Amino acid sequence: MAERTALESLIEMGFPRGRAEKALALTGHQGIEAAMDWLMEHEDDPDVDEPPASPLGHSLGHEPPSYGGGSPEGPGAARVEEKPPLSEEEKREQTKRMLELVAQKQKERGEREQREAVERERQRRRQGQELSAARQRLQEDEMRRAAEERRREKAEETAARQRVREKIERDKVERAKKFGSTGSQITSPATEPGPVPSSPSQEPPTKREYDQCRIQVRLPDGTSLTQTFKAREQLAAVRLYVELHRGEELGGGQDPVQLLSGFPRRAFSEADMERPLQELGLVPSAVLIVAKKCAS
């Protein structure tokens, strides 16, 4: 009767019959509270409504009957263990206690789930912060690598310009050594004053001496180069500067260039390349035109 009363109490509380019977069987029929604990713990199990796998006799908490004589475990002993049925008031009191127990279990379960949710949110935020920090470190590393690459390119560009300037200076020195004597022979008569007319009205005015000359060179593609040279530098220095800066790759394989004066129109020859700029009338400034030199 006690077992039947516990089963009926669980059914009255809203539990399915099969689930209530399984809870009572698996808890060894230790009472409604033990069955309630089992039901609350296994509420979400997928096999909660499946019957227990143990034999029926054992699941109900009874041992198989013994048919030997003289055993004290007889029918009379079973009648002694029977309990009187519960009254309606006791049933209501027991149901009330069970409902309070269910409410308590649900409250504890809700608090546990809330704590777990708070812990999951804390872990999610911590992982988000770690991911953000890792992303920021990655961006800083990329910016650092980009800055180093820009510094390296700038250093290479500066070194390349320095090599070009050094090559120009070496070419100037070599040309000065090669054509220095010839240039001095050519320029020396120009520095000597010629015969002066006897008439005072024919005497030319005093000219100003310039030691530098600004040359603008117009290239065939429409662009121009501007550079300052010494007044006594040879025209070959201007041609070398143009060949090194006319926009093509440095080195051999370039077509030779010819320098022309704008007005009056004049094409400078190879002999003119060895003459100083001052002697050619290009001081203090002049505009030259670059044309491809025709092969003879």
Side-chain angles (χ1 to χ4, degrees), residues 138-278:
L138 181 60
Q139 292 178 354
E140 291 176 354
D141 293 341
E142 292 178 354
M143 293 175 61
R144 189 181 302 107
R145 286 194 296 269
E148 293 176 356
E149 182 67 18
R150 287 195 297 269
R151 286 194 295 269
R152 184 183 62 80
E153 292 176 354
K154 186 176 180 180
E156 291 178 354
E157 183 180 356
T158 303
R161 288 198 299 267
Q162 182 64 25
R163 288 194 296 270
V164 171
R165 286 194 293 266
E166 291 175 356
K167 187 178 188 318
I168 293 175
E169 293 298 329
R170 288 196 302 269
D171 291 340
K172 287 181 180 180
V173 173
E174 292 177 0
R175 287 183 178 273
K177 290 179 180 179
K178 183 176 180 181
F179 303 108
S181 58
T182 305
S184 60
Q185 293 175 1
I186 296 175
T187 56
S188 57
T191 57
E192 296 178 358
V196 181
S198 57
S199 174
S201 60
Q202 300 293 329
E203 184 177 352
T206 304
K207 295 183 179 181
R208 180 180 176 183
E209 293 292 335
Y210 294 94
D211 59 349
Q212 289 185 348
C213 137
R214 184 177 180 84
I215 302 295
Q216 182 183 16
V217 183
R218 295 179 181 174
L219 303 178
D221 60 356
T223 60
S224 62
L225 299 172
T226 304
Q227 182 65 18
T228 302
F229 298 89
K230 298 292 184 180
R232 294 188 175 276
E233 278 193 85
Q234 299 174 357
L235 185 59
V238 179
R239 183 174 64 179
L240 174 62
Y241 178 80
V242 172
E243 290 175 350
L244 293 175
H245 294 81
R246 58 176 170 170
E248 298 178 1
E249 294 181 357
L250 301 178
Q254 297 179 345
D255 296 332
V257 298
Q258 185 176 13
L259 298 179
L260 308 175
S261 62
F263 183 82
R265 192 77 173 184
R266 175 186 175 185
F268 295 101
S269 62
E270 286 297 327
D272 293 332
M273 294 297 150
E274 301 177 1
R275 300 176 61 186
L277 301 176
Q278 185 180 31

Side-chain angles (χ1 to χ4, degrees), residues 49-184:
D49 292 322
E50 295 181 3
S54 59
L56 180 61
H58 292 284
S59 65
L60 295 177
H62 298 287
E63 295 295 332
S66 176
Y67 297 99
S71 175
E73 300 291 334
R79 283 194 298 270
V80 172
E81 293 178 358
E82 290 181 356
K83 295 181 181 180
L86 297 177
S87 63
E88 294 297 329
E89 183 67 24
E90 290 174 340
K91 289 182 179 179
R92 286 195 297 270
E93 184 67 23
Q94 189 178 40
T95 302
K96 180 180 178 182
R97 287 191 293 105
M98 291 301 103
L99 292 176
E100 292 176 354
L101 180 61
V102 170
Q104 180 66 25
K105 296 293 183 181
Q106 291 178 346
K107 181 179 178 182
E108 293 176 357
R109 180 179 179 181
E111 292 176 353
R112 183 175 66 254
E113 292 178 351
Q114 184 177 4
R115 289 193 299 271
E116 293 175 354
V118 171
E119 181 63 25
R120 286 194 300 270
E121 178 66 17
R122 185 181 295 110
Q123 293 179 0
R124 186 189 65 81
R125 291 185 179 182
R126 182 170 60 252
Q127 292 175 357
Q129 293 174 355
E130 293 175 356
L131 181 61
S132 177
R135 188 182 296 111
Q136 183 176 0
R137 288 194 299 270
L138 181 60
Q139 292 178 354
E140 291 176 354
D141 293 341
E142 292 178 354
M143 293 175 61
R144 189 181 302 107
R145 286 194 296 269
E148 293 176 356
E149 182 67 18
R150 287 195 297 269
R151 286 194 295 269
R152 184 183 62 80
E153 292 176 354
K154 186 176 180 180
E156 291 178 354
E157 183 180 356
T158 303
R161 288 198 299 267
Q162 182 64 25
R163 288 194 296 270
V164 171
R165 286 194 293 266
E166 291 175 356
K167 187 178 188 318
I168 293 175
E169 293 298 329
R170 288 196 302 269
D171 291 340
K172 287 181 180 180
V173 173
E174 292 177 0
R175 287 183 178 273
K177 290 179 180 179
K178 183 176 180 181
F179 303 108
S181 58
T182 305
S184 60

